[in-house]
């Protein structure tokens, strides 16, 4: 079946209203990420033989109105627009979203119906939309929506109202499968710019500990640090045991590869070869990325992400980020690539700052495990606490220095708090799939290419000569000249930090402060090549060039302060 044979439906709504669950329930398909009709907005597309559901990013009016209108303007007029609005905030969402799609052919899906107990007023809103403009309205429980049996075609008919305005028995009972939704799509009407009737309420979720003044930001920050804590636990209890086992299993292959001609042997079995880096990649990097993806997926599926960002937003706004921007920075601890691409949903005035924060302070699934490996090798695993504290503090200072004044404006507000619920496994996997797909499709191929390039450079002696030239500069940071090579290689790929564990670097003889400085400088001086390439694609080569110079200067300054203040104090 060709692309043109599918009926295309575009889901529009704010964040955490159930769009992804609806798309999955209607199609039963896995999403693919694509730009919306050539715009800068990334959508998730769910396809069956005769239906394509486009799940657009959640709209935040204060930040995304212009880009959302750009995306909507690029959509074909023949496509059906489906507004997804929660029953708990029906009036405001309709008032905000209907003007964006005025005159378009569409329908309305009302989610979170189970949160509403008094439905009489919302019946009036539904009757008003269905009666005058003729717009179908379907209440659903997005969490339990199931695909229509058979070929996914439209079954049933459009839900209507009686002449006196009373809603038929189909309301307020939510649809259990896709019949009502597909029928509404088939009988879509012209969307108005506003409604004449209002429900008259706004149902707020109960306040939690992490939303209380003063205590809330601290508790929320702890929740965001939890994935890193789990990664540390994994590194200390699991990865350290698996690493020698996986390395031992690969030894016969490495031995065989060493008998090959020089360059090929270096690419496969050298210090930076594909086989040599196998244990690090599959024992440390990939599991760390999965830990972050699954925990952040659980946060998102439960509604916790929105609640945490709401609590942290007032604090983050003072340094030039929003609460949502901070979540994207934390995503970078799993993999910088999906974190950078997710900034397409940022405000124009915070996107570049968020990207810079990811580049500077998000210790990705290559960097963070390598850092843990160094601390473990020198017998100082407790350094992970001071390391994370310094990384967070210097990142916040760096962001505050580079953020434009408008990024600290009060107008960049978090839209609303969300209800919390126990995350379903399917929802967690759906949220985590995006990070995993980006890691496998983008990060791994580039990683393999970098392995080949680094192995050939090492075979030619270029890396060692480069490290020797930079060796004297290490004295400024009170580090031995041998530390230059890991710093240089970490600028290309972050697992180069692990070279600090080699006996030739003399790291075992360094003090805790010197180990901390070496790891910090290697990790923060420059983003890895994968991240730099991704940012160039997302923004521009000129922006990347300026960012590299700025980041190198800031990282060097912070490292100098840490080195010499630490020497004075300790």
């Amino acid at each position: 079946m060709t692309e043109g044979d599918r009926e295309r439906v575009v889901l529009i709504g704010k964040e955490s209203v159930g769009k992804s669950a609806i798309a999955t329930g209607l199609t039963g398909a896995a999403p693919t990420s694509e730009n919306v009709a050539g715009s800068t907005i990334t959508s998730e597309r769910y396809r069956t033989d005769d239906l394509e559901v486009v799940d657009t990013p959640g709209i935040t009016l204060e930040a995304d109105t212009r880009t959302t209108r750009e995306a909507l303007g690029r959509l074909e007029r023949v496509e059906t627009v489906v507004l997804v609005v929660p029953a708990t905030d029906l009036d405001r969402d309709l008032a905000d979203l209907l003007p964006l799609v005025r005159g378009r052919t569409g329908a309305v899906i009302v989610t979170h119906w189970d949160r509403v107990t008094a439905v009489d007023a919302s019946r009036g809103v539904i009757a008003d939309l269905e009666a005058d403009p003729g717009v179908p309205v379907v209440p659903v429980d997005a969490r339990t929506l199931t695909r229509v049996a058979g070929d996914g075609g439209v079954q049933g008919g459009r839900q209507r109202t009686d002449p006196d305005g009373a809603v038929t028995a189909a309301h307020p009972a939510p649809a259990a499968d896709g019949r009502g939704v597909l029928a509404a799509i088939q009988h879509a009407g012209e969307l108005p710019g506003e409604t004449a009737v209002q429900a008259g309420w706004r149902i707020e979720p109960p306040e939690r500990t992490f939303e209380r003044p003063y205590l809330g930001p601290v508790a929320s920050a702890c929740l965001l640090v939890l994935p890193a804590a789990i990664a540390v636990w994994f590194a200390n209890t699991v990865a350290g045991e698996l690493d020698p086992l996986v390395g031992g299993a690969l030894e016969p292959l490495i031995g065989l590869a060493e008998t090959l001609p020089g360059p090929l042997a270096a690419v496969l079995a050298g210090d930076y070869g594909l086989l040599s880096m196998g244990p690090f990649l599959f024992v440390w990097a990939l599991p760390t990325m999965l830990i972050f993806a699954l925990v952040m997926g659980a946060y998102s599926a439960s509604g916790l992400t929105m609640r945490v960002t709401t609590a942290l937003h007032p604090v983050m706004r003072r340094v030039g980020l929003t609460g949502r921007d901070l979540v994207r920075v934390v995503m970078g601890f799993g993999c910088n690539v999906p974190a950078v691409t997710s900034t397409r949903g940022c405000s124009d005035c915070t996107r570049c700052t968020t990207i810079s924060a990811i580049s500077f302070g998000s210790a990705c699934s290559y960097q963070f495990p390598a850092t843990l490996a160094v601390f473990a090798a020198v017998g100082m695993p407790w350094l992970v606490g001071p390391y994370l504290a310094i990384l967070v503090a210097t990142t916040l200072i760096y962001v505050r220095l580079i953020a434009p004044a408008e990024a600290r404006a009060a107008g960049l507000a978090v839209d609303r708090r969300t209800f919390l619920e126990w995350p379903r496994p399917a929802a967690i996997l759906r949220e985590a799939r995006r990070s995993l797909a980006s890691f496998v499709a983008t990060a791994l191929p580039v990683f393999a290419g970098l392995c080949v390039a680094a192995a050939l450079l090492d075979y030619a002696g270029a890396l060692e000569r480069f490290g020797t030239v930079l060796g004297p500069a290490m004295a400024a940071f009170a580090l031995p000249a041998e530390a230059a090579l890991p710093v240089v290689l970490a600028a290309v790929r972050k697992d180069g930090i692990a070279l600090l564990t080699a006996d030739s670097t003399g790291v075992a003889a360094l003090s805790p402060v010197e180990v901390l400085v070496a790891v910090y400088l290697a990790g923060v001086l420059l983003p890895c090549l994968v991240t730099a390439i991704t940012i160039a694609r997302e923004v521009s080569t000129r922006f990347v060039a300026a960012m590299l110079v700025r980041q190198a200067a800031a990282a060097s300054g912070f490292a100098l302060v840490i080195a010499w203040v630490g020497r004075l104090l300790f």
Side-chain angles (χ1 to χ4, degrees):
M1 177 168 290
T2 64
E3 192 75 22
D5 293 329
R6 293 190 182 96
E7 181 175 7
R8 179 176 294 179
V9 177
V10 181
L11 301 182
I12 302 291
K14 297 184 180 180
E15 291 187 341
S16 299
V17 295
K19 299 192 305 299
S20 297
I22 291 171
T24 301
L26 284 177
T27 63
T32 59
S33 296
E34 299 177 18
N35 282 13
V36 179
S39 73
T40 58
I41 300 297
T42 300
S43 66
E44 299 289 339
R45 297 178 185 264
Y46 300 74
R47 295 184 175 97
T48 64
D49 288 341
D50 54 4
L51 180 66
E52 179 181 62
V53 179
V54 182
D55 177 15
T56 59
I59 296 173
T60 304
L61 290 181
E62 294 85 353
D64 298 337
T65 302
R66 185 176 65 81
T67 52
T68 299
R69 284 179 175 153
E70 174 194 347
L72 291 174
R74 293 174 181 266
L75 296 175
E76 297 293 336
R77 299 294 299 182
V78 296
E79 294 170 338
T80 301
V81 173
V82 175
L83 288 188
V84 183
V85 295
T88 53
D89 205 356
L90 191 61
D91 292 342
R92 190 172 70 154
D93 275 37
L94 287 175
D96 289 341
L97 300 179
L98 282 175
L100 298 178
V101 294
R102 182 198 304 266
R104 300 296 297 269
T105 300
V108 177
I109 296 178
V110 184
T111 60
H112 297 180
W113 199 260
D114 57 312
R115 305 288 184 183
V116 180
T117 55
V119 298
D120 290 340
S122 60
R123 287 180 179 180
V125 178
I126 293 174
D128 175 64
L129 283 170
E130 289 193 324
D132 186 13
V135 176
V137 182
V138 185
V140 302
D141 183 352
R143 295 167 297 176
T144 59
L145 187 68
T146 58
R147 187 184 179 194
V148 179
D151 61 0
V154 176
Q155 301 183 30
R158 176 187 158 198
Q159 304 177 38
R160 301 180 182 274
T161 57
D162 295 331
D164 61 357
V167 181
T168 62
H171 296 306
D177 59 29
R179 287 184 176 85
V181 176
L182 292 172
I185 293 170
Q186 186 185 48
H187 297 89
E190 182 177 332
L191 290 164
E194 60 183 1
T195 58
V197 179
Q198 291 189 333
W201 71 60
R202 184 180 180 188
I203 301 175
E204 287 283 350
E207 187 179 73
R208 302 290 180 178
T209 300
F210 47 78
E211 294 176 306
R212 295 176 182 173
Y214 304 109
L215 178 61
V218 175
S220 298
C222 290
L223 285 173
L224 288 180
V225 171
L226 181 61
I230 296 175
V232 171
W233 168 83
F234 176 86
N236 291 334
T237 60
V238 180
E241 299 293 331
L242 291 178
D243 190 286
L245 297 178
V246 175
L250 290 174
E251 280 184 3
L253 290 176
I254 293 175
L256 181 62
E258 288 175 343
T259 63
L260 298 173
L264 187 57
V267 168
L268 292 176
D271 290 339
Y272 314 112
L274 296 173
L275 293 176
S276 302
M277 295 308 303
F280 177 83
L281 178 62
F282 294 105
V283 174
W284 297 86
L286 184 60
T288 300
M289 187 282 302
L290 286 175
I291 287 171
F292 276 89
L294 290 173
V295 175
M296 297 305 293
Y299 283 5
S300 179
S302 66
L304 188 59
T305 298
M306 291 286 288
R307 299 290 288 273
V308 167
T309 57
T310 302
L312 287 172
H313 178 73
V315 177
M316 298 310 301
R317 185 173 55 81
R318 297 182 180 182
V319 301
L321 298 176
T322 68
R324 287 188 182 90
D325 296 336
L326 177 62
V327 172
R328 295 180 175 102
V329 176
V330 175
M331 282 177 57
F333 276 78
C335 183
N336 281 184
V337 172
V340 169
T341 55
S342 73
T343 62
R344 295 170 183 172
C346 291
S347 167
D348 285 345
C349 65
T350 65
R351 187 187 186 197
C352 288
T353 305
T354 305
I355 289 175
S356 296
I358 293 169
S359 172
F360 189 95
S362 292
C364 71
S365 54
Y366 292 116
Q367 178 182 340
F368 196 52
T371 299
L372 297 177
V374 172
F375 292 154
V378 298
M380 304 176 189
W382 54 270
L383 277 178
V384 67
Y387 169 76
L388 287 176
I390 290 173
L391 185 63
V392 169
T394 54
T395 300
L396 291 177
I397 296 172
Y398 175 65
V399 168
R400 179 62 178 80
L401 292 174
I402 67 173
E406 57 267 27
R408 300 189 294 276
L412 294 176
V414 173
D415 193 57
R416 62 161 165 254
R417 296 160 61 240
T418 56
F419 286 89
L420 295 180
E421 60 186 38
W422 286 107
R424 292 171 293 114
I428 296 175
L429 292 176
R430 183 175 64 245
E431 295 291 339
R433 186 185 293 117
R434 300 173 186 176
S435 294
L436 180 60
S438 182
F439 183 87
V440 173
T442 303
L444 287 187
V446 177
F447 174 82
L450 292 177
C451 281
V452 173
L456 292 176
L457 288 173
D458 181 55
Y459 176 76
L463 288 181
E464 185 176 355
R465 288 194 295 271
F466 196 23
T468 301
V469 171
L470 292 179
M474 294 295 101
F477 303 97
L479 294 176
E482 291 77 11
L485 181 58
V487 171
V488 170
L489 190 58
V492 179
R493 40 181 264 191
K494 290 302 177 184
D495 57 315
I497 297 172
L499 288 179
L500 288 168
T501 61
D503 293 338
S504 59
T505 63
V507 70
L510 300 181
S511 69
V513 172
E514 291 168 336
V515 172
L516 195 59
V517 171
V519 170
Y520 177 87
L521 187 62
V524 178
L525 183 64
L526 291 173
C528 73
L529 189 57
V530 180
T531 300
I533 292 173
T534 302
I535 296 173
R537 290 173 177 172
E538 289 293 312
V539 186
S540 69
T541 304
R542 177 179 295 182
F543 171 77
V544 170
M547 187 195 73
L548 294 179
V549 173
R550 184 175 59 206
Q551 180 170 327
S556 299
F558 288 134
L560 286 171
V561 171
I562 298 168
W564 295 104
V565 171
R567 170 169 287 194
L568 291 175
L569 295 179
F570 303 101

